[in-house]
């Protein structure tokens, strides 16, 4: 049976790879991102079912996204909260207040907004799956990543609490925890380019696996490392 899948930040990186994976499986894929031109171009090139311009840091945009999806399809089966970014990777004392606020808003608040808005739909359906994308920064420490890590640790712990709240209604929640991957993440954060064995497609496969678990089972969290990344201690 086709799933109705909503994926944020889906014009590049993990989000785009994940959208392609679900579409290849025959699911109905709705992508959401803040750049209208990129959304339209990505939908056109990949045959996604619907593209909606969405600023995930704006709560009202989440309400609009939900209304459009529910009006067109009547339900939502999977929400992949993927949108996020490094914003500014630097020592905390070298960041501006605006950098800190933006990092928390983009990487944590947006996740909570999405779970709140689509969680209401899933609770009423008594069914649904939310997959939140965190980072290994949630569990490991690197200099310059403290603000980003705080947000991603929040995502991990929020997901656990959200699952506890939603489990009685048949709604599941999982946190995917990717390590460094060969995407545009570091380039967009202004710290160079990443050359890792871990790929966006690897993360897409993990998301797809979790989303297709039997309804009586849930993956609490899943960490995916590329073997090219050395972390001591692990």
């Amino acid at each position: 049976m086709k799933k109705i899948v909503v994926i944020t930040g889906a014009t590049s990186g993990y989000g785009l790879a994940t959208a392609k994976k679900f579409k290849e499986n025959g699911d109905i894929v709705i992508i959401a991102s803040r750049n209208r031109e990129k959304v339209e171009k990505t939908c056109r090139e990949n045959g996604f079912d619907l593209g909606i311009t969405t600023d995930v840091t704006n709560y009202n945009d989440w309400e609009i996204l939900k209304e459009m999806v529910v009006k067109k399809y009547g339900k939502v089966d999977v929400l992949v909260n993927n949108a996020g970014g490094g914003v500014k990777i630097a020592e905390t004392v070298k960041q501006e207040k605006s950098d800190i606020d933006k990092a928390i808003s983009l990487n944590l608040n947006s996740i909570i907004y999405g779970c709140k808005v689509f969680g209401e739909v899933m609770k009423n359906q008594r069914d649904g799956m939310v997959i939140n994308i965190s980072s290994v920064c949630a569990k490991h420490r690197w200099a310059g990543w403290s603000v980003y890590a705080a947000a991603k640790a929040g995502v991990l712990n929020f997901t656990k609490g959200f699952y506890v709240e939603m489990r009685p209604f048949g709604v599941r929640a999982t946190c995917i925890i990717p390590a460094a991957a060969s995407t545009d993440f570091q380039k967009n954060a202004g710290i160079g380019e990443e050359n890792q064995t871990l790929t966006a497609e690897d993360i897409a496969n993990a998301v797809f696996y979790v989303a297709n678990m039997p309804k009586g089972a849930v993956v609490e969290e899943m960490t995916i490392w590329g073997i090219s990344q050395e972390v001591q201690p692990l």
Side-chain angles (χ1 to χ4, degrees):
M1 183 178 294
K2 291 184 178 180
K3 292 182 176 66
I4 310 299
V5 184
V6 177
I7 305 171
T8 66
T11 58
S12 64
Y14 302 154
L16 177 56
T18 300
K20 288 180 177 179
K21 182 69 177 181
F22 279 102
K23 189 61 184 175
E24 289 168 2
N25 189 59
D27 296 314
I28 294 172
V29 176
I30 300 99
I31 66 167
S33 193
R34 62 185 176 182
N35 186 306
R36 182 182 298 277
E37 290 183 2
K38 285 185 178 180
V39 169
E40 292 175 351
K41 183 174 185 289
T42 303
C43 267
R44 186 170 60 250
E45 291 180 347
N46 296 279
F48 299 139
D49 299 273
L50 184 63
I52 302 173
T53 306
T54 306
D55 178 355
V56 295
T57 66
N58 185 325
Y59 183 82
N60 288 335
D61 277 17
W62 276 106
E63 290 283 5
I64 292 169
L65 176 61
K66 177 196 73 175
E67 289 171 6
M68 292 180 70
V69 172
V70 173
K71 182 177 180 180
K72 186 173 180 64
Y73 299 106
K75 65 170 185 171
V76 60
D77 297 302
V78 180
L79 169 66
V80 182
N81 259 322
N82 167 73
V87 180
K88 183 175 182 179
I89 304 303
E91 293 178 25
T92 305
V93 296
K94 294 181 179 179
Q95 299 207 27
E96 301 295 331
K97 176 183 180 297
S98 59
D99 298 324
I100 296 169
D101 290 347
K102 185 176 180 181
I104 300 299
S105 179
L106 176 59
N107 292 294
L108 177 57
N109 292 1
S110 66
I111 299 284
I112 298 174
Y113 292 164
C115 288
K116 192 276 181 189
V117 171
F118 278 94
E120 291 176 342
V121 177
M122 293 179 179
K123 183 177 178 180
N124 289 333
Q125 294 172 173
R126 301 189 71 86
D127 185 40
M129 164 67 76
V130 174
I131 301 172
N132 294 330
I133 308 299
S134 180
S135 163
V136 291
C137 288
K139 293 185 173 183
H140 300 268
R141 306 293 169 259
W142 290 272
W145 293 79
S146 299
V147 175
Y148 178 79
K152 290 302 188 179
V155 171
L156 174 58
N157 285 285
F158 168 77
T159 305
K160 293 174 184 286
F162 184 70
Y163 169 66
V164 171
E165 295 170 352
M166 301 300 287
R167 183 197 60 79
F169 305 98
V171 180
R172 296 168 292 164
T174 295
C175 193
I176 298 291
I177 308 171
S182 291
T183 67
D184 290 333
F185 177 91
Q186 295 210 22
K187 180 180 178 182
N188 292 336
I191 54 174
E193 297 187 12
E194 194 65 71
N195 183 21
Q196 299 285 350
T197 56
L198 189 66
T199 68
E201 288 71 26
D202 295 327
I203 304 307
N205 287 333
V207 172
F208 186 78
Y209 169 79
V210 167
N212 284 281
M213 288 287 289
K215 289 187 178 182
V218 64
V219 176
E220 178 185 350
E221 62 184 75
M222 182 187 291
T223 303
I224 306 101
W225 292 93
I227 61 172
S228 58
Q229 184 176 7
E230 182 178 4
V231 183
Q232 294 182 345
L234 182 63

